[in-house]
Amino acid sequence: MNRSGMVRMLARGALRRCPRCNGKGAFFTGWFEKAPHCQTCGLRWRRGDVGFELGAAAMAAVINLGPLLLVLGVAIVVSWPSIPVVPLLIFFIPSALVLPLLTYPLSYTVWQALDLAMRPVQPDDFDVEFIVRDVLPTDLDN
């Protein structure tokens, strides 16, 4: 896969769209409820891999902990040697609780994009009976 294809899939995932077909809403029927497949192209979000949720959890850790640790590091460097612990706790505890809720669907769709880059789509990765558009899955790869 070339760089532009990977960037395109990651951008689609970042917008909560299917990384493969750009279907809006893709795998989510609500903020926390996932459909077993993309609502447009029929791609299963699990694709036969029992560890998919672990990859999505790792992606959630990167998406959430990365910015929090970066901001914490900057706050410590800027305020050194007198670190304001209580204000930092007041900011970071709620942030650490709310941010994962806000990025939950994003972690799945971005992980789906990375998974698609590492493991190309196979014909048995689709729920053919649920494909909404009259387009064969192979037609969407371009």
Side-chain angles (χ1 to χ4, degrees), residues 105-132:
L106 179 71
S107 64
Y108 274 87
T109 53
V110 170
W111 175 247
Q112 182 75 18
L114 291 173
D115 186 51
L116 287 171
M118 293 184 288
R119 295 184 314 131
V121 175
Q122 302 298 317
D124 61 340
D125 290 337
F126 294 91
D127 279 338
V128 179
E129 63 187 83
F130 295 106
I131 296 175
V132 175

mmCIF file with all atom_site columns, all heavy atoms in Angstrom, residues 105-132:
data_model
loop_
_atom_site.group_PDB
_atom_site.id
_atom_site.type_symbol
_atom_site.label_atom_id
_atom_site.label_alt_id
_atom_site.label_comp_id
_atom_site.label_asym_id
_atom_site.label_entity_id
_atom_site.label_seq_id
_atom_site.pdbx_PDB_ins_code
_atom_site.Cartn_x
_atom_site.Cartn_y
_atom_site.Cartn_z
_atom_site.occupancy
_atom_site.B_iso_or_equiv
_atom_site.pdbx_formal_charge
_atom_site.auth_seq_id
_atom_site.auth_comp_id
_atom_site.auth_asym_id
_atom_site.auth_atom_id
_atom_site.pdbx_PDB_model_num
ATOM 1   N N   . PRO A 1 105 ? -15.338 5.692   19.531 1.00 0.00 ? 105 PRO A N   1
ATOM 2   C CA  . PRO A 1 105 ? -15.515 5.212   18.155 1.00 0.00 ? 105 PRO A CA  1
ATOM 3   C C   . PRO A 1 105 ? -14.289 5.474   17.286 1.00 0.00 ? 105 PRO A C   1
ATOM 4   O O   . PRO A 1 105 ? -13.953 4.671   16.419 1.00 0.00 ? 105 PRO A O   1
ATOM 5   C CB  . PRO A 1 105 ? -16.727 5.981   17.638 1.00 0.00 ? 105 PRO A CB  1
ATOM 6   C CG  . PRO A 1 105 ? -17.100 6.962   18.662 1.00 0.00 ? 105 PRO A CG  1
ATOM 7   C CD  . PRO A 1 105 ? -16.281 6.737   19.868 1.00 0.00 ? 105 PRO A CD  1
ATOM 8   N N   . LEU A 1 106 ? -13.614 6.568   17.548 1.00 0.00 ? 106 LEU A N   1
ATOM 9   C CA  . LEU A 1 106 ? -12.423 6.919   16.787 1.00 0.00 ? 106 LEU A CA  1
ATOM 10  C C   . LEU A 1 106 ? -11.338 5.854   16.925 1.00 0.00 ? 106 LEU A C   1
ATOM 11  O O   . LEU A 1 106 ? -10.666 5.505   15.954 1.00 0.00 ? 106 LEU A O   1
ATOM 12  C CB  . LEU A 1 106 ? -11.909 8.276   17.270 1.00 0.00 ? 106 LEU A CB  1
ATOM 13  C CG  . LEU A 1 106 ? -10.658 8.815   16.629 1.00 0.00 ? 106 LEU A CG  1
ATOM 14  C CD1 . LEU A 1 106 ? -10.956 9.236   15.210 1.00 0.00 ? 106 LEU A CD1 1
ATOM 15  C CD2 . LEU A 1 106 ? -10.130 9.988   17.435 1.00 0.00 ? 106 LEU A CD2 1
ATOM 16  N N   . SER A 1 107 ? -11.184 5.313   18.117 1.00 0.00 ? 107 SER A N   1
ATOM 17  C CA  . SER A 1 107 ? -10.148 4.301   18.318 1.00 0.00 ? 107 SER A CA  1
ATOM 18  C C   . SER A 1 107 ? -10.416 3.057   17.479 1.00 0.00 ? 107 SER A C   1
ATOM 19  O O   . SER A 1 107 ? -9.488  2.431   16.965 1.00 0.00 ? 107 SER A O   1
ATOM 20  C CB  . SER A 1 107 ? -10.026 3.940   19.803 1.00 0.00 ? 107 SER A CB  1
ATOM 21  O OG  . SER A 1 107 ? -11.204 3.343   20.284 1.00 0.00 ? 107 SER A OG  1
ATOM 22  N N   . TYR A 1 108 ? -11.673 2.701   17.297 1.00 0.00 ? 108 TYR A N   1
ATOM 23  C CA  . TYR A 1 108 ? -12.010 1.533   16.475 1.00 0.00 ? 108 TYR A CA  1
ATOM 24  C C   . TYR A 1 108 ? -11.792 1.790   14.990 1.00 0.00 ? 108 TYR A C   1
ATOM 25  O O   . TYR A 1 108 ? -11.253 0.955   14.274 1.00 0.00 ? 108 TYR A O   1
ATOM 26  C CB  . TYR A 1 108 ? -13.461 1.101   16.719 1.00 0.00 ? 108 TYR A CB  1
ATOM 27  C CG  . TYR A 1 108 ? -13.601 0.178   17.889 1.00 0.00 ? 108 TYR A CG  1
ATOM 28  C CD1 . TYR A 1 108 ? -13.763 0.670   19.169 1.00 0.00 ? 108 TYR A CD1 1
ATOM 29  C CD2 . TYR A 1 108 ? -13.544 -1.199  17.720 1.00 0.00 ? 108 TYR A CD2 1
ATOM 30  C CE1 . TYR A 1 108 ? -13.876 -0.178  20.249 1.00 0.00 ? 108 TYR A CE1 1
ATOM 31  C CE2 . TYR A 1 108 ? -13.662 -2.056  18.794 1.00 0.00 ? 108 TYR A CE2 1
ATOM 32  C CZ  . TYR A 1 108 ? -13.824 -1.539  20.056 1.00 0.00 ? 108 TYR A CZ  1
ATOM 33  O OH  . TYR A 1 108 ? -13.927 -2.379  21.121 1.00 0.00 ? 108 TYR A OH  1
ATOM 34  N N   . THR A 1 109 ? -12.221 2.948   14.511 1.00 0.00 ? 109 THR A N   1
ATOM 35  C CA  . THR A 1 109 ? -12.105 3.200   13.072 1.00 0.00 ? 109 THR A CA  1
ATOM 36  C C   . THR A 1 109 ? -10.657 3.466   12.656 1.00 0.00 ? 109 THR A C   1
ATOM 37  O O   . THR A 1 109 ? -10.244 3.063   11.574 1.00 0.00 ? 109 THR A O   1
ATOM 38  C CB  . THR A 1 109 ? -13.029 4.353   12.629 1.00 0.00 ? 109 THR A CB  1
ATOM 39  O OG1 . THR A 1 109 ? -12.786 5.496   13.438 1.00 0.00 ? 109 THR A OG1 1
ATOM 40  C CG2 . THR A 1 109 ? -14.484 3.947   12.727 1.00 0.00 ? 109 THR A CG2 1
ATOM 41  N N   . VAL A 1 110 ? -9.873  4.122   13.518 1.00 0.00 ? 110 VAL A N   1
ATOM 42  C CA  . VAL A 1 110 ? -8.453  4.318   13.202 1.00 0.00 ? 110 VAL A CA  1
ATOM 43  C C   . VAL A 1 110 ? -7.723  2.978   13.255 1.00 0.00 ? 110 VAL A C   1
ATOM 44  O O   . VAL A 1 110 ? -6.884  2.680   12.402 1.00 0.00 ? 110 VAL A O   1
ATOM 45  C CB  . VAL A 1 110 ? -7.810  5.356   14.148 1.00 0.00 ? 110 VAL A CB  1
ATOM 46  C CG1 . VAL A 1 110 ? -6.303  5.390   13.999 1.00 0.00 ? 110 VAL A CG1 1
ATOM 47  C CG2 . VAL A 1 110 ? -8.384  6.738   13.874 1.00 0.00 ? 110 VAL A CG2 1
ATOM 48  N N   . TRP A 1 111 ? -8.053  2.144   14.244 1.00 0.00 ? 111 TRP A N   1
ATOM 49  C CA  . TRP A 1 111 ? -7.436  0.823   14.290 1.00 0.00 ? 111 TRP A CA  1
ATOM 50  C C   . TRP A 1 111 ? -7.835  -0.004  13.064 1.00 0.00 ? 111 TRP A C   1
ATOM 51  O O   . TRP A 1 111 ? -7.032  -0.746  12.512 1.00 0.00 ? 111 TRP A O   1
ATOM 52  C CB  . TRP A 1 111 ? -7.787  0.073   15.567 1.00 0.00 ? 111 TRP A CB  1
ATOM 53  C CG  . TRP A 1 111 ? -7.241  -1.319  15.536 1.00 0.00 ? 111 TRP A CG  1
ATOM 54  C CD1 . TRP A 1 111 ? -7.937  -2.481  15.490 1.00 0.00 ? 111 TRP A CD1 1
ATOM 55  C CD2 . TRP A 1 111 ? -5.860  -1.694  15.501 1.00 0.00 ? 111 TRP A CD2 1
ATOM 56  N NE1 . TRP A 1 111 ? -7.079  -3.553  15.444 1.00 0.00 ? 111 TRP A NE1 1
ATOM 57  C CE2 . TRP A 1 111 ? -5.796  -3.102  15.439 1.00 0.00 ? 111 TRP A CE2 1
ATOM 58  C CE3 . TRP A 1 111 ? -4.665  -0.980  15.512 1.00 0.00 ? 111 TRP A CE3 1
ATOM 59  C CZ2 . TRP A 1 111 ? -4.595  -3.789  15.400 1.00 0.00 ? 111 TRP A CZ2 1
ATOM 60  C CZ3 . TRP A 1 111 ? -3.469  -1.677  15.465 1.00 0.00 ? 111 TRP A CZ3 1
ATOM 61  C CH2 . TRP A 1 111 ? -3.446  -3.065  15.407 1.00 0.00 ? 111 TRP A CH2 1
ATOM 62  N N   . GLN A 1 112 ? -9.079  0.132   12.625 1.00 0.00 ? 112 GLN A N   1
ATOM 63  C CA  . GLN A 1 112 ? -9.522  -0.577  11.420 1.00 0.00 ? 112 GLN A CA  1
ATOM 64  C C   . GLN A 1 112 ? -8.665  -0.162  10.230 1.00 0.00 ? 112 GLN A C   1
ATOM 65  O O   . GLN A 1 112 ? -8.275  -0.997  9.416  1.00 0.00 ? 112 GLN A O   1
ATOM 66  C CB  . GLN A 1 112 ? -10.999 -0.295  11.142 1.00 0.00 ? 112 GLN A CB  1
ATOM 67  C CG  . GLN A 1 112 ? -11.561 -1.032  9.948  1.00 0.00 ? 112 GLN A CG  1
ATOM 68  C CD  . GLN A 1 112 ? -11.811 -2.497  10.228 1.00 0.00 ? 112 GLN A CD  1
ATOM 69  O OE1 . GLN A 1 112 ? -11.879 -2.924  11.357 1.00 0.00 ? 112 GLN A OE1 1
ATOM 70  N NE2 . GLN A 1 112 ? -11.935 -3.277  9.191  1.00 0.00 ? 112 GLN A NE2 1
ATOM 71  N N   . ALA A 1 113 ? -8.340  1.135   10.123 1.00 0.00 ? 113 ALA A N   1
ATOM 72  C CA  . ALA A 1 113 ? -7.494  1.613   9.023  1.00 0.00 ? 113 ALA A CA  1
ATOM 73  C C   . ALA A 1 113 ? -6.103  0.972   9.088  1.00 0.00 ? 113 ALA A C   1
ATOM 74  O O   . ALA A 1 113 ? -5.581  0.512   8.068  1.00 0.00 ? 113 ALA A O   1
ATOM 75  C CB  . ALA A 1 113 ? -7.388  3.135   9.065  1.00 0.00 ? 113 ALA A CB  1
ATOM 76  N N   . LEU A 1 114 ? -5.523  0.929   10.266 1.00 0.00 ? 114 LEU A N   1
ATOM 77  C CA  . LEU A 1 114 ? -4.202  0.306   10.405 1.00 0.00 ? 114 LEU A CA  1
ATOM 78  C C   . LEU A 1 114 ? -4.267  -1.192  10.137 1.00 0.00 ? 114 LEU A C   1
ATOM 79  O O   . LEU A 1 114 ? -3.370  -1.758  9.503  1.00 0.00 ? 114 LEU A O   1
ATOM 80  C CB  . LEU A 1 114 ? -3.636  0.572   11.804 1.00 0.00 ? 114 LEU A CB  1
ATOM 81  C CG  . LEU A 1 114 ? -3.245  2.014   12.084 1.00 0.00 ? 114 LEU A CG  1
ATOM 82  C CD1 . LEU A 1 114 ? -2.855  2.189   13.540 1.00 0.00 ? 114 LEU A CD1 1
ATOM 83  C CD2 . LEU A 1 114 ? -2.109  2.443   11.177 1.00 0.00 ? 114 LEU A CD2 1
ATOM 84  N N   . ASP A 1 115 ? -5.326  -1.825  10.600 1.00 0.00 ? 115 ASP A N   1
ATOM 85  C CA  . ASP A 1 115 ? -5.500  -3.257  10.372 1.00 0.00 ? 115 ASP A CA  1
ATOM 86  C C   . ASP A 1 115 ? -5.634  -3.555  8.878  1.00 0.00 ? 115 ASP A C   1
ATOM 87  O O   . ASP A 1 115 ? -5.063  -4.524  8.376  1.00 0.00 ? 115 ASP A O   1
ATOM 88  C CB  . ASP A 1 115 ? -6.720  -3.756  11.142 1.00 0.00 ? 115 ASP A CB  1
ATOM 89  C CG  . ASP A 1 115 ? -6.877  -5.265  11.075 1.00 0.00 ? 115 ASP A CG  1
ATOM 90  O OD1 . ASP A 1 115 ? -5.891  -5.970  11.364 1.00 0.00 ? 115 ASP A OD1 1
ATOM 91  O OD2 . ASP A 1 115 ? -7.980  -5.725  10.743 1.00 0.00 ? 115 ASP A OD2 1
ATOM 92  N N   . LEU A 1 116 ? -6.368  -2.711  8.159  1.00 0.00 ? 116 LEU A N   1
ATOM 93  C CA  . LEU A 1 116 ? -6.517  -2.897  6.721  1.00 0.00 ? 116 LEU A CA  1
ATOM 94  C C   . LEU A 1 116 ? -5.185  -2.718  5.998  1.00 0.00 ? 116 LEU A C   1
ATOM 95  O O   . LEU A 1 116 ? -4.923  -3.374  4.994  1.00 0.00 ? 116 LEU A O   1
ATOM 96  C CB  . LEU A 1 116 ? -7.550  -1.925  6.149  1.00 0.00 ? 116 LEU A CB  1
ATOM 97  C CG  . LEU A 1 116 ? -9.005  -2.231  6.470  1.00 0.00 ? 116 LEU A CG  1
ATOM 98  C CD1 . LEU A 1 116 ? -9.897  -1.079  6.041  1.00 0.00 ? 116 LEU A CD1 1
ATOM 99  C CD2 . LEU A 1 116 ? -9.442  -3.523  5.832  1.00 0.00 ? 116 LEU A CD2 1
ATOM 100 N N   . ALA A 1 117 ? -4.339  -1.826  6.500  1.00 0.00 ? 117 ALA A N   1
ATOM 101 C CA  . ALA A 1 117 ? -3.028  -1.619  5.890  1.00 0.00 ? 117 ALA A CA  1
ATOM 102 C C   . ALA A 1 117 ? -2.119  -2.825  6.121  1.00 0.00 ? 117 ALA A C   1
ATOM 103 O O   . ALA A 1 117 ? -1.316  -3.191  5.252  1.00 0.00 ? 117 ALA A O   1
ATOM 104 C CB  . ALA A 1 117 ? -2.382  -0.361  6.447  1.00 0.00 ? 117 ALA A CB  1
ATOM 105 N N   . MET A 1 118 ? -2.251  -3.453  7.290  1.00 0.00 ? 118 MET A N   1
ATOM 106 C CA  . MET A 1 118 ? -1.387  -4.596  7.620  1.00 0.00 ? 118 MET A CA  1
ATOM 107 C C   . MET A 1 118 ? -1.908  -5.910  7.045  1.00 0.00 ? 118 MET A C   1
ATOM 108 O O   . MET A 1 118 ? -1.122  -6.779  6.704  1.00 0.00 ? 118 MET A O   1
ATOM 109 C CB  . MET A 1 118 ? -1.251  -4.718  9.146  1.00 0.00 ? 118 MET A CB  1
ATOM 110 C CG  . MET A 1 118 ? -0.504  -3.575  9.770  1.00 0.00 ? 118 MET A CG  1
ATOM 111 S SD  . MET A 1 118 ? -0.248  -3.787  11.541 1.00 0.00 ? 118 MET A SD  1
ATOM 112 C CE  . MET A 1 118 ? -1.888  -3.523  12.177 1.00 0.00 ? 118 MET A CE  1
ATOM 113 N N   . ARG A 1 119 ? -3.236  -6.045  6.994  1.00 0.00 ? 119 ARG A N   1
ATOM 114 C CA  . ARG A 1 119 ? -3.848  -7.276  6.498  1.00 0.00 ? 119 ARG A CA  1
ATOM 115 C C   . ARG A 1 119 ? -4.834  -6.927  5.395  1.00 0.00 ? 119 ARG A C   1
ATOM 116 O O   . ARG A 1 119 ? -5.939  -6.495  5.678  1.00 0.00 ? 119 ARG A O   1
ATOM 117 C CB  . ARG A 1 119 ? -4.600  -8.003  7.623  1.00 0.00 ? 119 ARG A CB  1
ATOM 118 C CG  . ARG A 1 119 ? -3.722  -8.506  8.726  1.00 0.00 ? 119 ARG A CG  1
ATOM 119 C CD  . ARG A 1 119 ? -4.492  -9.294  9.779  1.00 0.00 ? 119 ARG A CD  1
ATOM 120 N NE  . ARG A 1 119 ? -5.726  -8.644  10.208 1.00 0.00 ? 119 ARG A NE  1
ATOM 121 C CZ  . ARG A 1 119 ? -6.909  -9.261  10.272 1.00 0.00 ? 119 ARG A CZ  1
ATOM 122 N NH1 . ARG A 1 119 ? -7.034  -10.510 9.952  1.00 0.00 ? 119 ARG A NH1 1
ATOM 123 N NH2 . ARG A 1 119 ? -7.975  -8.613  10.696 1.00 0.00 ? 119 ARG A NH2 1
ATOM 124 N N   . PRO A 1 120 ? -4.435  -7.082  4.141  1.00 0.00 ? 120 PRO A N   1
ATOM 125 C CA  . PRO A 1 120 ? -5.339  -6.732  3.033  1.00 0.00 ? 120 PRO A CA  1
ATOM 126 C C   . PRO A 1 120 ? -6.666  -7.487  3.132  1.00 0.00 ? 120 PRO A C   1
ATOM 127 O O   . PRO A 1 120 ? -6.749  -8.581  3.687  1.00 0.00 ? 120 PRO A O   1
ATOM 128 C CB  . PRO A 1 120 ? -4.559  -7.159  1.793  1.00 0.00 ? 120 PRO A CB  1
ATOM 129 C CG  . PRO A 1 120 ? -3.132  -7.168  2.220  1.00 0.00 ? 120 PRO A CG  1
ATOM 130 C CD  . PRO A 1 120 ? -3.149  -7.566  3.675  1.00 0.00 ? 120 PRO A CD  1
ATOM 131 N N   . VAL A 1 121 ? -7.685  -6.870  2.586  1.00 0.00 ? 121 VAL A N   1
ATOM 132 C CA  . VAL A 1 121 ? -9.035  -7.418  2.619  1.00 0.00 ? 121 VAL A CA  1
ATOM 133 C C   . VAL A 1 121 ? -9.099  -8.718  1.825  1.00 0.00 ? 121 VAL A C   1
ATOM 134 O O   . VAL A 1 121 ? -8.537  -8.826  0.739  1.00 0.00 ? 121 VAL A O   1
ATOM 135 C CB  . VAL A 1 121 ? -10.033 -6.392  2.034  1.00 0.00 ? 121 VAL A CB  1
ATOM 136 C CG1 . VAL A 1 121 ? -11.415 -6.971  1.935  1.00 0.00 ? 121 VAL A CG1 1
ATOM 137 C CG2 . VAL A 1 121 ? -10.044 -5.141  2.882  1.00 0.00 ? 121 VAL A CG2 1
ATOM 138 N N   . GLN A 1 122 ? -9.797  -9.682  2.387  1.00 0.00 ? 122 GLN A N   1
ATOM 139 C CA  . GLN A 1 122 ? -10.049 -10.968 1.740  1.00 0.00 ? 122 GLN A CA  1
ATOM 140 C C   . GLN A 1 122 ? -11.546 -11.064 1.435  1.00 0.00 ? 122 GLN A C   1
ATOM 141 O O   . GLN A 1 122 ? -12.358 -10.436 2.108  1.00 0.00 ? 122 GLN A O   1
ATOM 142 C CB  . GLN A 1 122 ? -9.628  -12.125 2.666  1.00 0.00 ? 122 GLN A CB  1
ATOM 143 C CG  . GLN A 1 122 ? -8.181  -12.082 3.088  1.00 0.00 ? 122 GLN A CG  1
ATOM 144 C CD  . GLN A 1 122 ? -7.241  -12.203 1.909  1.00 0.00 ? 122 GLN A CD  1
ATOM 145 O OE1 . GLN A 1 122 ? -7.446  -13.012 1.023  1.00 0.00 ? 122 GLN A OE1 1
ATOM 146 N NE2 . GLN A 1 122 ? -6.209  -11.371 1.899  1.00 0.00 ? 122 GLN A NE2 1
ATOM 147 N N   . PRO A 1 123 ? -11.925 -11.863 0.444  1.00 0.00 ? 123 PRO A N   1
ATOM 148 C CA  . PRO A 1 123 ? -13.352 -11.977 0.100  1.00 0.00 ? 123 PRO A CA  1
ATOM 149 C C   . PRO A 1 123 ? -14.246 -12.404 1.268  1.00 0.00 ? 123 PRO A C   1
ATOM 150 O O   . PRO A 1 123 ? -15.388 -11.965 1.366  1.00 0.00 ? 123 PRO A O   1
ATOM 151 C CB  . PRO A 1 123 ? -13.373 -13.028 -1.007 1.00 0.00 ? 123 PRO A CB  1
ATOM 152 C CG  . PRO A 1 123 ? -12.017 -12.953 -1.612 1.00 0.00 ? 123 PRO A CG  1
ATOM 153 C CD  . PRO A 1 123 ? -11.081 -12.601 -0.482 1.00 0.00 ? 123 PRO A CD  1
ATOM 154 N N   . ASP A 1 124 ? -13.723 -13.222 2.185  1.00 0.00 ? 124 ASP A N   1
ATOM 155 C CA  . ASP A 1 124 ? -14.568 -13.675 3.295  1.00 0.00 ? 124 ASP A CA  1
ATOM 156 C C   . ASP A 1 124 ? -14.630 -12.652 4.440  1.00 0.00 ? 124 ASP A C   1
ATOM 157 O O   . ASP A 1 124 ? -15.206 -12.928 5.480  1.00 0.00 ? 124 ASP A O   1
ATOM 158 C CB  . ASP A 1 124 ? -14.108 -15.034 3.806  1.00 0.00 ? 124 ASP A CB  1
ATOM 159 C CG  . ASP A 1 124 ? -12.681 -15.025 4.328  1.00 0.00 ? 124 ASP A CG  1
ATOM 160 O OD1 . ASP A 1 124 ? -11.919 -14.105 3.972  1.00 0.00 ? 124 ASP A OD1 1
ATOM 161 O OD2 . ASP A 1 124 ? -12.330 -15.943 5.088  1.00 0.00 ? 124 ASP A OD2 1
ATOM 162 N N   . ASP A 1 125 ? -14.081 -11.458 4.248  1.00 0.00 ? 125 ASP A N   1
ATOM 163 C CA  . ASP A 1 125 ? -14.155 -10.397 5.253  1.00 0.00 ? 125 ASP A CA  1
ATOM 164 C C   . ASP A 1 125 ? -15.446 -9.583  5.152  1.00 0.00 ? 125 ASP A C   1
ATOM 165 O O   . ASP A 1 125 ? -15.618 -8.609  5.864  1.00 0.00 ? 125 ASP A O   1
ATOM 166 C CB  . ASP A 1 125 ? -12.964 -9.434  5.103  1.00 0.00 ? 125 ASP A CB  1
ATOM 167 C CG  . ASP A 1 125 ? -11.651 -10.070 5.511  1.00 0.00 ? 125 ASP A CG  1
ATOM 168 O OD1 . ASP A 1 125 ? -11.678 -11.036 6.294  1.00 0.00 ? 125 ASP A OD1 1
ATOM 169 O OD2 . ASP A 1 125 ? -10.604 -9.591  5.035  1.00 0.00 ? 125 ASP A OD2 1
ATOM 170 N N   . PHE A 1 126 ? -16.348 -9.961  4.264  1.00 0.00 ? 126 PHE A N   1
ATOM 171 C CA  . PHE A 1 126 ? -17.559 -9.190  4.020  1.00 0.00 ? 126 PHE A CA  1
ATOM 172 C C   . PHE A 1 126 ? -18.798 -9.972  4.426  1.00 0.00 ? 126 PHE A C   1
ATOM 173 O O   . PHE A 1 126 ? -18.853 -11.182 4.281  1.00 0.00 ? 126 PHE A O   1
ATOM 174 C CB  . PHE A 1 126 ? -17.680 -8.831  2.535  1.00 0.00 ? 126 PHE A CB  1
ATOM 175 C CG  . PHE A 1 126 ? -16.609 -7.902  2.067  1.00 0.00 ? 126 PHE A CG  1
ATOM 176 C CD1 . PHE A 1 126 ? -15.433 -8.395  1.552  1.00 0.00 ? 126 PHE A CD1 1
ATOM 177 C CD2 . PHE A 1 126 ? -16.779 -6.539  2.161  1.00 0.00 ? 126 PHE A CD2 1
ATOM 178 C CE1 . PHE A 1 126 ? -14.425 -7.547  1.129  1.00 0.00 ? 126 PHE A CE1 1
ATOM 179 C CE2 . PHE A 1 126 ? -15.787 -5.684  1.745  1.00 0.00 ? 126 PHE A CE2 1
ATOM 180 C CZ  . PHE A 1 126 ? -14.610 -6.188  1.224  1.00 0.00 ? 126 PHE A CZ  1
ATOM 181 N N   . ASP A 1 127 ? -19.792 -9.241  4.925  1.00 0.00 ? 127 ASP A N   1
ATOM 182 C CA  . ASP A 1 127 ? -21.139 -9.767  5.114  1.00 0.00 ? 127 ASP A CA  1
ATOM 183 C C   . ASP A 1 127 ? -21.903 -9.391  3.857  1.00 0.00 ? 127 ASP A C   1
ATOM 184 O O   . ASP A 1 127 ? -22.520 -8.332  3.770  1.00 0.00 ? 127 ASP A O   1
ATOM 185 C CB  . ASP A 1 127 ? -21.814 -9.150  6.338  1.00 0.00 ? 127 ASP A CB  1
ATOM 186 C CG  . ASP A 1 127 ? -21.388 -9.804  7.627  1.00 0.00 ? 127 ASP A CG  1
ATOM 187 O OD1 . ASP A 1 127 ? -20.915 -10.956 7.560  1.00 0.00 ? 127 ASP A OD1 1
ATOM 188 O OD2 . ASP A 1 127 ? -21.527 -9.179  8.684  1.00 0.00 ? 127 ASP A OD2 1
ATOM 189 N N   . VAL A 1 128 ? -21.852 -10.229 2.859  1.00 0.00 ? 128 VAL A N   1
ATOM 190 C CA  . VAL A 1 128 ? -22.390 -9.906  1.541  1.00 0.00 ? 128 VAL A CA  1
ATOM 191 C C   . VAL A 1 128 ? -23.878 -9.594  1.601  1.00 0.00 ? 128 VAL A C   1
ATOM 192 O O   . VAL A 1 128 ? -24.360 -8.701  0.914  1.00 0.00 ? 128 VAL A O   1
ATOM 193 C CB  . VAL A 1 128 ? -22.103 -11.062 0.549  1.00 0.00 ? 128 VAL A CB  1
ATOM 194 C CG1 . VAL A 1 128 ? -22.681 -10.752 -0.809 1.00 0.00 ? 128 VAL A CG1 1
ATOM 195 C CG2 . VAL A 1 128 ? -20.615 -11.305 0.460  1.00 0.00 ? 128 VAL A CG2 1
ATOM 196 N N   . GLU A 1 129 ? -24.621 -10.275 2.448  1.00 0.00 ? 129 GLU A N   1
ATOM 197 C CA  . GLU A 1 129 ? -26.061 -10.041 2.498  1.00 0.00 ? 129 GLU A CA  1
ATOM 198 C C   . GLU A 1 129 ? -26.422 -8.670  3.050  1.00 0.00 ? 129 GLU A C   1
ATOM 199 O O   . GLU A 1 129 ? -27.541 -8.215  2.895  1.00 0.00 ? 129 GLU A O   1
ATOM 200 C CB  . GLU A 1 129 ? -26.741 -11.123 3.327  1.00 0.00 ? 129 GLU A CB  1
ATOM 201 C CG  . GLU A 1 129 ? -26.295 -11.130 4.789  1.00 0.00 ? 129 GLU A CG  1
ATOM 202 C CD  . GLU A 1 129 ? -26.841 -12.308 5.554  1.00 0.00 ? 129 GLU A CD  1
ATOM 203 O OE1 . GLU A 1 129 ? -26.242 -13.385 5.471  1.00 0.00 ? 129 GLU A OE1 1
ATOM 204 O OE2 . GLU A 1 129 ? -27.881 -12.132 6.201  1.00 0.00 ? 129 GLU A OE2 1
ATOM 205 N N   . PHE A 1 130 ? -25.456 -7.962  3.673  1.00 0.00 ? 130 PHE A N   1
ATOM 206 C CA  . PHE A 1 130 ? -25.745 -6.660  4.259  1.00 0.00 ? 130 PHE A CA  1
ATOM 207 C C   . PHE A 1 130 ? -25.194 -5.498  3.442  1.00 0.00 ? 130 PHE A C   1
ATOM 208 O O   . PHE A 1 130 ? -25.270 -4.364  3.876  1.00 0.00 ? 130 PHE A O   1
ATOM 209 C CB  . PHE A 1 130 ? -25.181 -6.580  5.680  1.00 0.00 ? 130 PHE A CB  1
ATOM 210 C CG  . PHE A 1 130 ? -25.852 -7.532  6.609  1.00 0.00 ? 130 PHE A CG  1
ATOM 211 C CD1 . PHE A 1 130 ? -25.211 -8.680  7.028  1.00 0.00 ? 130 PHE A CD1 1
ATOM 212 C CD2 . PHE A 1 130 ? -27.139 -7.292  7.054  1.00 0.00 ? 130 PHE A CD2 1
ATOM 213 C CE1 . PHE A 1 130 ? -25.827 -9.569  7.886  1.00 0.00 ? 130 PHE A CE1 1
ATOM 214 C CE2 . PHE A 1 130 ? -27.767 -8.170  7.911  1.00 0.00 ? 130 PHE A CE2 1
ATOM 215 C CZ  . PHE A 1 130 ? -27.112 -9.308  8.323  1.00 0.00 ? 130 PHE A CZ  1
ATOM 216 N N   . ILE A 1 131 ? -24.615 -5.761  2.287  1.00 0.00 ? 131 ILE A N   1
ATOM 217 C CA  . ILE A 1 131 ? -24.097 -4.681  1.460  1.00 0.00 ? 131 ILE A CA  1
ATOM 218 C C   . ILE A 1 131 ? -25.270 -3.849  0.969  1.00 0.00 ? 131 ILE A C   1
ATOM 219 O O   . ILE A 1 131 ? -26.201 -4.370  0.369  1.00 0.00 ? 131 ILE A O   1
ATOM 220 C CB  . ILE A 1 131 ? -23.258 -5.218  0.285  1.00 0.00 ? 131 ILE A CB  1
ATOM 221 C CG1 . ILE A 1 131 ? -22.021 -5.930  0.835  1.00 0.00 ? 131 ILE A CG1 1
ATOM 222 C CG2 . ILE A 1 131 ? -22.867 -4.095  -0.656 1.00 0.00 ? 131 ILE A CG2 1
ATOM 223 C CD1 . ILE A 1 131 ? -21.184 -6.593  -0.231 1.00 0.00 ? 131 ILE A CD1 1
ATOM 224 N N   . VAL A 1 132 ? -25.210 -2.552  1.238  1.00 0.00 ? 132 VAL A N   1
ATOM 225 C CA  . VAL A 1 132 ? -26.326 -1.667  0.921  1.00 0.00 ? 132 VAL A CA  1
ATOM 226 C C   . VAL A 1 132 ? -26.259 -1.219  -0.530 1.00 0.00 ? 132 VAL A C   1
ATOM 227 O O   . VAL A 1 132 ? -27.246 -1.225  -1.238 1.00 0.00 ? 132 VAL A O   1
ATOM 228 C CB  . VAL A 1 132 ? -26.321 -0.438  1.867  1.00 0.00 ? 132 VAL A CB  1
ATOM 229 C CG1 . VAL A 1 132 ? -27.394 0.544   1.472  1.00 0.00 ? 132 VAL A CG1 1
ATOM 230 C CG2 . VAL A 1 132 ? -26.497 -0.897  3.294  1.00 0.00 ? 132 VAL A CG2 1
#
